[in-house]
Amino acid sequence: MKESKEKKYFELVNNIKILTEGEDDVISVMSTISCEVFQTFDHFNWVGFYRAVGNDKLKVGPYQGGHGCLVIDYGRGVCGRCARERAVQIENDVTKLPYHIACSSDTRSEIVLPVIKNGELLAVFDIDSTEPGVFDEVDVRWLAEIAGLI
Ligand code: SME
């Protein structure tokens, strides 16, 4: 299971590098990343970015999956906590989280990573899964590498 996850991420990162080579438009790269990551794991039901837009607010950016709320204040939900703390958040069962912003009742677990460029928070990278407890240090390592391509 772990090995195949590593293999999938290895191929995914290579594909994203090839597709985005030489592209410096942040939205284009975020769009490509959302698409590629979403299609790699069957149990991902939302993959995308919330952009830091000032006044401690996140606004939805490129994503794949069901609808997402448009604005999230820092500190609110899992994404808002990630933005405030600038730290990776892993939630194994979001149904047990009173502060989770539930955009889909199918979502069970979630990982959110900060996307930091030149010391500034650019966005948070949010991935939701229909399976509980699927995210671990393997996902953190690969998804951080992917976010670093922005
Ligand atoms: N899961 C997020 C909200 C955004 S959606 O799931 C797309 C949160 O609680 O931060």
Side-chain angles (χ1 to χ4, degrees):
M1 162 74 181
K2 249 192 175 158
E3 200 182 353
S4 79
K5 183 153 111 171
E6 291 274 6
K7 191 168 176 281
K8 281 183 175 186
Y9 272 120
F10 180 79
E11 286 167 8
L12 172 63
V13 167
N14 274 343
N15 286 341
I16 294 170
K17 281 183 180 163
I18 292 164
L19 288 165
T20 62
E21 199 189 345
E23 182 54 69
D24 61 3
D25 185 285
V26 165
I27 298 295
S28 300
V29 176
M30 285 180 176
S31 302
T32 303
I33 289 173
S34 302
C35 171
E36 295 302 311
V37 174
F38 185 74
Q39 298 203 54
T40 299
F41 294 93
D42 291 342
H43 58 92
F44 287 176
N45 63 337
W46 202 95
V47 175
F49 295 88
Y50 278 92
R51 297 162 302 123
V53 293
N55 298 325
D56 289 349
K57 277 192 195 309
L58 296 166
K59 278 209 170 185
V60 76
Y63 72 93
Q64 300 266 315
H67 69 248
C69 55
L70 270 68
V71 184
I72 299 176
D73 291 327
Y74 282 23
R76 245 190 92 221
V78 187
C79 292
R81 281 170 184 240
C82 175
R84 188 181 61 193
E85 295 164 22
R86 293 187 173 204
V88 177
Q89 314 285 311
I90 292 180
E91 299 297 348
N92 290 321
D93 187 353
V94 296
T95 63
K96 299 207 168 85
L97 282 187
Y99 54 83
H100 180 244
I101 306 164
C103 290
S104 164
S105 54
D106 294 339
T107 301
R108 290 298 306 279
S109 57
E110 173 164 6
I111 184 169
V112 188
L113 301 96
V115 182
I116 296 167
K117 266 271 186 222
N118 305 321
E120 298 271 308
L121 183 79
L122 190 67
V124 300
F125 186 20
D126 181 15
I127 292 142
D128 296 349
S129 168
T130 54
E131 289 176 20
V134 290
F135 296 109
D136 58 21
E137 76 289 342
V138 174
D139 302 273
V140 174
R141 179 162 38 81
W142 285 105
L143 293 170
E145 180 170 350
I146 291 169
L149 298 173
I150 296 167

